[in-house]
Amino acid sequence: MGLIKAEYIWIDGHKPTAKLRSKTKVFDGPVNNLNEIPEWGFDGSSTMQAEGKNSDCMLKPIYFVPDPIRGGDNILVMNEVRNADGSVHVSNTRAQLVEISEKYKEEEAWFGIEQEYTFFQGRSPLGWPEGGYPAPQGPFYCGVGADEVFGRDIVEDHMDACVQAGIGFSGINAEVMPGQWEFQVGPLGPLDVSDQLWLSRWILYRIAEEYGVNATLHPKPVSGDWNGAGAHTNFSTKSMRSNGGLKIIEKACEELGKKHEDHIAVYGAHNEERLTGLHETCSIHDFRFGVSDRGASIRIPMATANDGYGYLEDRRPSANMDPYKVCAAMIVTCCS
Ligand code: ADP
Ligand code: MN
Ligand code: MN
Ligand code: MN
């Protein structure tokens, strides 16, 4: 027994892109089970989740991990936002994914999400000359050396923290634009990948804070001849991963093409600035799929085409997307 600090994390009602919020509750620990973590509340009028008069919103814990920053028995707690009576709050996009993942659970959907992001210090991306531009893109992707990559100490700290927290973290790389990076979470089921992606975003912001740096998920943080930031969503079902799965993957791509606009609508705000047809993207107005094609909307990886089974990569979601919405849309379109 002893007092522990539980950092309650939730998603606010900010539009068009929701933001993460958190606050700390101190209570007797350690905690071994989710049901030992008390529900809590917050002032929804300060997070665009309520009117001033009736502003109490509920935090319902749904997932917790050891806190890699505070250490000890302290924990990080992801929450769903509920109304005061316990019903689902309008800003809560997770509740719908709970229903969809239950309905299609026999499909055994897996997701691996590539989260790209950009570090900023003041008004410029990290490592950029004050008020100017670095050398043109080319040497930075997966680069090494103080003239090629910026912020590696933060990236390493973030990766250590995520691994320590038990997040299904699968890797990192420096991106094409200097100051831009990527990490991957998955493959995991839809709820796990989404809860863990949101949590790893929170850990990223929190750790970068220590360095006086902020990370942004804006899909086009610098306009012009610079790569945008996406969240490629790799997806498979049990049948796609089995012999003959390639046929099912191709069928899923055709269905995704028919629903292109519906998907774009939940793939993140300002994505039209990124999906221009340049910089390894397909135009937001077109839909194409193809093997190994990084200029397509959906890429079928070479290994999947060669093996005849595997997964597909939806390259359209932007870095600021809500994984609860993206996973829900993928499952409904590809599985029904
Ligand atoms: P890229 O070559 O596009 O940069 P990455 O290596 O960054 O690809 O990311 C690929 C992602 O796909 C990883 O997160 C990985 O876990 C995930 N992945 C691998 N196999 C599957 C699968 N069968 N279903 C879903 N996701 C998968
Ligand atoms: Mn990648
Ligand atoms: Mn990438
Ligand atoms: Mn990718």
Side-chain angles (χ1 to χ4, degrees), residues 35-47:
N35 60 19
E36 295 164 25
I37 305 173
E39 286 174 354
W40 203 15
F42 67 96
D43 169 15
S45 69
S46 300
T47 62

Side-chain angles (χ1 to χ4, degrees), residues 37-60:
I37 305 173
E39 286 174 354
W40 203 15
F42 67 96
D43 169 15
S45 69
S46 300
T47 62
M48 284 153 239
Q49 284 164 307
E51 300 295 326
K53 291 193 299 250
N54 195 353
S55 71
D56 276 357
C57 291
M58 185 197 287
L59 292 174
K60 183 177 186 303

